Amino acid sequence: MFAITFSGDTMLQPPLVVTAHIDVLLLLVSGLALWTRLSGLSYPNSVVFDEVYYGQFVSLYMKRVFFIDDSGPPLGHMILSAGAYFGGFDGNFVWNRIGAEYPDGVSVWSLRLLPALCGAFSVPLVYSLSLELGASYLSALGAAVLFLLENALIVQSRFMLLESVLIFFMLLSFFCYLRFHNTCHSSWFSYCWLLFSGASIAVAIGVKYMGLLSYLLLLGVACVHTWSLIGDRTLSHVSSVLCLVVVPVLLYVFWFYVHLSLLHRSGPHDQLMSSAFQATLEGGLSRITQGQPLEVAYGSQVTLRSSASNPVPCWLHSHKVNYPIRYENGRGSSHQQQVTCYPFKDVNNWWIIKDPNRHELVVGNPPRPVRHGDVIQLVHGMTSRFLNSHDVAAPMSPHAQEVSGYINYNVSMAPQNLWTVEISNRETDTEVWKTILSDVRLIHLNTSAVLKLSGASLPDWGFHQLEVIAEKLFTAPSSSQSWTVEEHRYGTSQEQRERELELHSPTHIDVTRKISFWAKFIELQFVCIGSGRCSKPTSHTGSNMSLLAYQLLAICYLLRRRRGFKDIPDGTPNTCVCVGGWMVNFVPFLLMEKTLFLYHYLPALCYLHLLSPALVEHVHSHLLSSKAQRRGLSACVLALAVSVLLAYQNFCPLTYGSPQLSTSALQRLKWRESWDILYRHH
């Protein structure tokens, strides 16, 4: 704290006086945190654990190549990439295996610097947060020491990983909010703390979606405080909503805006996105579709991409192979030409839009556009078979109709090859079918079934391509029923041989098309959000015992308060925040059917480290009456602190990777039978 005083009463007095109040404990834990997190940061000079995962995205950022990480938003990758950028990293490193040596030109220190700084600054932040929760300086110091010497937190901080970044901004959001709550609200300056709180939680969410759990807790705490202050005219509830709701939402959108602005080149994840999205990226599909005709017309040659991205993106396809006469289960088929969905670009993906009332397979002059509600035929470009469906069960989905390329066997199976065009995202009922932009459903005229990707994989006779079916319209519309014209040109060849040559060498007509940022943002949300053994952490027994003790005390106090006893005076540390933080960051993982790692538990562990000293302080101050009891508790706390220090020292070789340990020394670190320590001889 600094106090500045001006004095002008006499020339003998100094005109400016600066008084500084320095928290020595805060400086001490800050220095130790920087030392434990930053010392020897470049060792080992090789890829460690998930650096092989995050490093790929850092390289893509350096090269401005578009990617999707379905495990979280892009801000965390941008933070890691910022450290790489300032260290001169150009992205030219192959992240293909754990243990790969970094070349001399890669600054390992800069790659790991920002996570290490976040991990280091989290220690003094825990100290300050404990004080804002109402704990004493000694209790705050205890929480900071637990955080400082936690080996798992140190390890996560010293590599190019995101957990330390998430934890720092998660804790910062609560510190800023409590600082606002504990200050006078009459000054607009106090609302800066609330603004910082909203911005910090937005960063946490932008790093990993786990930040949403803490955000819900923050909103819950704010709602409780707001409810108790209703009627206080010194508090602006509008400002609270603005800072804690509007600002995080705007910043979350902003992270994606920066992400999409930086990554403008085609990349490895393009096919997960729609054709319209892909067409906005340099290279890839944009290079193929540049200058294509916008309006689909009769005679157009098109490829139809399924709007569903599961199980994989694919295109309507046919080839000169028929369905087997009988399947393995004894059911029969039409023995007509197979129609599938093929997950690769291929000349057999081309189809021709035909007017049922005309024989021409070329675009007229002027072109006659296809509109919503028109009835069309689809002719396969390479085999001239009509897209057909009928009352024959599909091979893998017997509840639905088979889709085939019609072959006339001169039997009682007439062609049923008329399809109604339904533009799902139309604005008017006469809208023209547009390349890339229109989502279309094809409704079978005879049976009212909709052309659909079932997602099932065909057996060997279908080359393991994906099944296409026609399903009756009693189901709700879904992405598997929608198709988008991706590649498009105006056909000019009526004869089959000439048309085959044309299909192999497409031509383009200049036209430009773009989609808005909001359309791309919404699509990314659907892709990101839509798209082993669960090991429960048991190594932090002391913290878990603190949680159990808190729950028992809370139940006891609630029961006694119902009878008129007020055991907890006003001003008691707000440990509910700690317990709530543990719950929202731990309980959801018990419901997830996924392999869990230790780092999934670390955010919850941070709240337990905040809780344990506060609980000990409460027992010392409110439950123990005699000096002997308090001395006994103090001795136990001292012994526990020594054990924490010894545990930290004992596991330092694993934490820092130095010095190297022998096989027997590693085995001595195996404190529990359930632990597996893997080592490799060089």
Side-chain angles (χ1 to χ4, degrees):
M1 294 175 59
F2 292 90
I4 302 177
T5 304
F6 291 93
S7 177
D9 295 338
T10 174
M11 295 297 294
L12 299 178
Q13 293 181 347
L16 180 66
V17 177
V18 178
T19 304
H21 300 275
I22 300 176
D23 190 332
V24 178
L25 292 178
L26 181 63
L27 291 180
L28 178 63
V29 296
S30 300
L32 291 174
L34 289 169
W35 177 73
T36 56
R37 270 67 175 178
L38 295 181
S39 60
L41 194 60
S42 298
Y43 181 83
N45 189 40
S46 56
V47 179
V48 177
F49 189 49
D50 270 357
E51 286 186 333
V52 72
Y53 176 75
Y54 293 114
Q56 299 176 44
F57 301 127
V58 170
S59 290
L60 292 175
Y61 263 118
M62 296 299 103
K63 298 178 179 181
R64 303 293 189 266
V65 173
F66 175 76
F67 69 86
I68 299 173
D69 179 15
D70 55 5
S71 67
L75 181 60
H77 302 306
M78 286 192 278
I79 292 174
L80 297 180
S81 300
Y85 175 79
F86 291 117
F89 182 56
D90 58 4
N92 292 320
F93 179 73
V94 180
W95 307 86
N96 56 359
R97 63 182 179 88
I98 297 175
E101 294 288 333
Y102 288 112
D104 295 335
V106 175
S107 174
V108 182
W109 186 84
S110 66
L111 290 177
R112 297 169 178 170
L113 176 61
L114 293 182
L117 287 176
C118 287
F121 292 146
S122 294
V123 178
L125 184 58
V126 164
Y127 174 85
S128 302
L129 178 57
S130 296
L131 295 178
E132 294 299 328
L133 285 169
S136 66
Y137 282 95
L138 187 60
S139 179
L141 177 63
V145 169
L146 289 176
F147 209 94
L148 173 71
L149 301 180
E150 175 57 61
N151 296 78
L153 292 173
I154 297 175
V155 171
Q156 288 296 133
S157 301
R158 291 175 52 82
F159 298 105
M160 190 175 58
L161 307 172
L162 290 179
E163 275 64 40
S164 62
V165 183
L166 169 68
I167 289 171
F168 172 76
F169 285 101
M170 177 185 70
L171 296 175
L172 182 61
S173 66
F174 279 94
F175 168 76
C176 293
Y177 174 78
L178 291 172
R179 193 64 181 268
F180 161 78
H181 177 69
N182 295 334
T183 57
C184 178
H185 299 153
S186 60
S187 171
W188 277 100
F189 179 76
S190 64
Y191 283 91
C192 290
W193 288 112
L194 194 61
L195 180 62
F196 292 152
S197 177
S200 299
I201 199 64
V203 174
I205 297 171
V207 170
K208 281 195 169 186
Y209 282 126
M210 282 179 62
L212 279 170
L213 303 175
S214 293
Y215 180 48
L216 295 177
L217 176 63
L218 180 65
L219 289 180
V221 172
C223 288
V224 171
H225 288 164
T226 302
W227 180 262
S228 63
L229 294 174
I230 289 180
D232 185 354
R233 295 185 177 182
T234 64
L235 180 64
S236 173
H237 300 297
V238 175
S239 299
S240 300
V241 173
L242 180 66
C243 293
L244 293 183
V245 178
V246 177
V247 168
V249 170
L250 291 179
L251 285 177
Y252 178 78
V253 174
F254 179 71
W255 309 146
F256 281 91
Y257 178 81
V258 176
H259 175 72
L260 293 173
S261 299
L262 291 174
L263 307 184
H264 54 82
R265 294 173 180 163
S266 174
H269 299 155
D270 288 9
Q271 289 192 353
L272 296 176
M273 310 307 297
S274 68
S275 302
F277 192 107
Q278 294 181 52
T280 65
L281 301 172
E282 295 179 8
L285 181 61
S286 66
R287 183 173 54 191
I288 298 173
T289 61
Q290 183 178 7
Q292 289 187 156
L294 177 61
E295 296 184 347
V296 177
Y298 291 105
S300 287
Q301 298 170 353
V302 301
T303 62
L304 291 167
R305 183 184 189 267
S306 172
S307 298
S309 59
N310 292 320
V312 291
C314 62
W315 292 262
L316 190 65
H317 177 93
S318 189
H319 42 240
K320 290 184 178 180
V321 179
N322 298 345
Y323 290 110
I325 297 177
R326 290 199 175 275
Y327 301 123
E328 291 82 353
N329 58 10
R331 289 192 298 110
S333 77
S334 65
H335 195 49
Q336 294 185 359
Q337 185 167 297
Q338 296 177 15
V339 172
T340 65
C341 207
Y342 190 49
F344 301 99
K345 300 286 188 180
D346 189 83
V347 71
N348 280 315
N349 297 346
W350 285 93
W351 298 81
I352 302 170
I353 310 295
K354 181 182 177 298
D355 185 342
N357 300 317
R358 301 192 181 188
H359 295 289
E360 292 83 8
L361 295 177
V362 297
V363 174
N365 188 17
R368 292 188 301 120
V370 180
R371 300 180 182 274
H372 169 75
D374 285 357
V375 176
I376 64 169
Q377 292 174 313
L378 282 167
V379 181
H380 188 240
M382 297 300 293
T383 64
S384 297
R385 300 296 184 189
F386 285 78
L387 185 70
N388 187 81
S389 186
H390 39 217
D391 190 18
V392 176
M396 310 304 296
S397 306
H399 65 280
Q401 296 175 188
E402 175 193 84
V403 176
S404 65
Y406 181 75
I407 301 175
N408 188 2
Y409 287 119
N410 293 321
V411 295
S412 57
M413 188 175 287
Q416 299 181 45
N417 52 30
L418 299 179
W419 301 85
T420 303
V421 176
E422 181 185 283
I423 302 177
S424 304
N425 58 343
R426 66 186 182 278
E427 296 181 358
T428 66
D429 288 339
T430 59
E431 183 162 323
V432 174
W433 187 358
K434 296 183 180 67
T435 305
I436 291 179
L437 302 179
S438 296
D439 291 329
V440 169
R441 296 203 306 166
L442 296 172
I443 313 297
H444 191 233
L445 189 64
N446 297 81
T447 62
S448 298
V450 61
L451 189 70
K452 178 182 177 181
L453 171 67
S454 74
S457 180
L458 297 173
D460 292 341
W461 53 258
F463 310 101
H464 301 284
Q465 297 177 16
L466 300 178
E467 181 191 41
V468 173
I469 61 175
E471 190 172 60
K472 292 294 179 66
L473 280 173
F474 50 75
T475 58
S478 65
S479 60
S480 60
Q481 300 175 355
S482 295
W483 303 85
T484 303
V485 171
E486 187 172 88
E487 297 177 66
H488 175 210
R489 63 160 170 269
Y490 285 162
T492 59
S493 302
Q494 180 70 27
E495 298 299 325
Q496 176 69 23
R497 185 176 298 276
E498 295 177 359
R499 188 165 61 246
E500 290 180 7
L501 294 174
E502 187 177 13
L503 292 173
H504 282 92
S505 56
T507 59
H508 304 302
I509 302 172
D510 288 337
V511 74
T512 58
R513 64 185 66 87
K514 293 182 179 180
I515 60 173
S516 67
F517 160 74
W518 290 107
K520 296 165 72 174
F521 170 77
I522 293 172
E523 182 176 342
L524 269 176
Q525 303 314 299
F526 280 105
V527 173
C528 291
I529 298 175
S531 44
R533 181 180 62 182
C534 175
S535 178
K536 297 181 182 179
T538 56
S539 58
H540 305 284
T541 307
S543 297
N544 291 331
M545 291 299 295
S546 298
L547 181 67
L548 178 61
Y550 173 86
Q551 293 170 333
L552 294 176
L553 284 174
I555 294 173
C556 179
Y557 287 151
L558 288 174
L559 292 175
R560 285 175 57 81
R561 176 158 293 197
R562 292 286 294 177
R563 303 191 63 180
F565 297 98
K566 191 175 182 180
D567 299 291
I568 306 177
D570 296 333
T572 301
N574 191 2
T575 51
C576 296
V577 174
C578 304
V579 177
W582 175 85
M583 291 183 64
V584 299
N585 285 282
F586 181 74
V587 174
F589 288 106
L590 299 179
L591 309 178
M592 295 182 182
E593 295 181 358
K594 58 177 292 186
T595 301
L596 297 182
F597 295 90
L598 179 61
Y599 63 78
H600 288 116
Y601 180 59
L602 295 183
L605 177 65
C606 295
Y607 288 102
L608 290 187
H609 283 336
L610 283 168
L611 173 65
S612 299
L615 185 62
V616 171
E617 178 186 351
H618 174 77
V619 172
H620 183 274
S621 303
H622 296 89
L623 298 184
L624 302 181
S625 56
S626 67
K627 292 184 178 180
Q629 291 175 333
R630 293 182 176 180
R631 288 173 181 173
L633 178 62
S634 300
C636 293
V637 170
L638 180 61
L640 182 61
V642 172
S643 67
V644 169
L645 180 60
L646 292 177
Y648 162 77
Q649 184 180 13
N650 193 49
F651 285 99
C652 267
L654 292 183
T655 303
Y656 297 98
S658 178
Q660 294 187 5
L661 299 179
S662 63
T663 302
S664 59
L666 279 172
Q667 288 298 322
R668 284 195 295 271
L669 294 179
K670 187 176 179 179
W671 287 6
R672 299 175 65 93
E673 289 298 325
S674 59
W675 290 6
D676 291 326
I677 297 180
L678 306 179
Y679 52 92
R680 182 179 64 183
H681 294 286
H682 291 282

